[in-house]
Amino acid sequence: MSLLDFFLRPRKENTAKVAKERLQIIVAHERSTRGGPDYLPQLKQDLLDVIRKYVAISPDQVTVQLDKKDDLSVLELNIMLNGDKKPGEDDTAQPHVEDKVSP
Amino acid sequence: MSLLDFFLRPRKENTAKVAKERLQIIVAHERSTRGGPDYLPQLKQDLLDVIRKYVAISPDQVTVQLDKKDDLSVLELNIMLNGDKKPGEDDTAQPHVEDKVSP
């Protein structure tokens, strides 16, 4: 499965709520040497700052997920553009962060 | 298939040449409104600048791929870390850029 196919795969989301425009940023860090630096958590803020150079985004449009498994860490930023708020989010919300660490 | 599974899937690469440490950055931009700005090409340099804050990388360690299909653009940066050069790359190489536009 190519990357394009991965992103074009049908998703279970409620299509009515699907943002008219969406930006997804994924950073996968494979480290075969234990104890090497894990800079993904700090990278998150830098990536948001870079995106803000191109498009205005507020925290409630951003979902952040950090998964770890074996030697792989995957940071995923989902940004709903042009004002589409995630369902149930109000204006004062902080970026919704989910840290999932698999055994 | 989750993102973690996508990145953990077995790859056809020549395992001897697989970098000890690898960073993959993917930006997927879904635009349902035609003619909206496509900032992925400029975003590429900003992303490399952000990564350089954390780890020193030279152009020959970076492969860039930009795919487009329907309303989806996917920018992929593959960075082989700790000096592992891509097979067949010499020191003066520019980032290897592949622009693939599917019908």
Side-chain angles (χ1 to χ4, degrees), chain A residues 17-94:
Chain A
K17 281 274 176 316
V18 169
K20 287 178 270 324
E21 192 172 348
R22 170 206 297 246
L23 200 58
Q24 215 172 353
I25 302 165
I26 296 149
V27 182
H29 186 197
E30 271 177 73
R31 290 171 298 151
S32 43
T33 49
R34 286 272 155 193
D38 182 14
Y39 31 76
L40 292 196
Q42 302 96 304
L43 200 56
K44 178 184 68 180
Q45 193 51 50
D46 288 330
L47 292 171
L48 287 175
D49 294 344
V50 164
I51 298 299
R52 283 204 176 92
K53 286 173 62 177
Y54 295 92
V55 62
I57 43 175
S58 58
D60 55 282
Q61 291 171 278
V62 183
T63 307
V64 179
Q65 186 160 336
L66 183 60
D67 289 328
K68 288 183 186 175
K69 189 173 184 181
D70 306 334
D71 298 330
L72 176 69
S73 303
V74 177
L75 171 70
E76 181 185 354
L77 303 176
N78 263 290
I79 303 169
M80 308 298 181
L81 295 175
N82 57 29
D84 288 280
K85 290 195 177 49
K86 291 188 307 304
E89 285 296 334
D90 61 38
D91 280 340
T92 54
Q94 280 306 311

Side-chain angles (χ1 to χ4, degrees), chain B residues 38-90:
Chain B
D38 181 13
Y39 30 77
L40 291 196
Q42 304 96 303
L43 200 58
K44 177 184 68 179
Q45 193 52 48
D46 286 331
L47 291 172
L48 287 174
D49 294 345
V50 165
I51 297 301
R52 283 203 177 93
K53 286 173 65 176
Y54 295 92
V55 60
I57 43 175
S58 58
D60 56 282
Q61 290 171 279
V62 182
T63 308
V64 179
Q65 186 160 335
L66 183 60
D67 289 326
K68 289 183 185 175
K69 188 173 185 181
D70 307 334
D71 298 330
L72 176 69
S73 302
V74 177
L75 171 70
E76 182 184 353
L77 304 176
N78 264 290
I79 303 169
M80 309 298 180
L81 295 176
N82 57 29
D84 290 278
K85 291 196 176 46
K86 292 188 308 301
E89 286 295 333
D90 60 37

Side-chain angles (χ1 to χ4, degrees), chain B residues 7-33:
Chain B
F7 286 107
L8 286 172
R9 74 198 189 293
R11 271 162 292 185
K12 293 177 235 88
E13 266 155 351
N14 168 347
T15 46
K17 281 275 178 304
V18 168
K20 287 179 271 321
E21 192 173 348
R22 169 205 299 245
L23 200 57
Q24 212 172 355
I25 302 165
I26 296 149
V27 182
H29 186 197
E30 272 176 73
R31 289 171 298 149
S32 44
T33 49

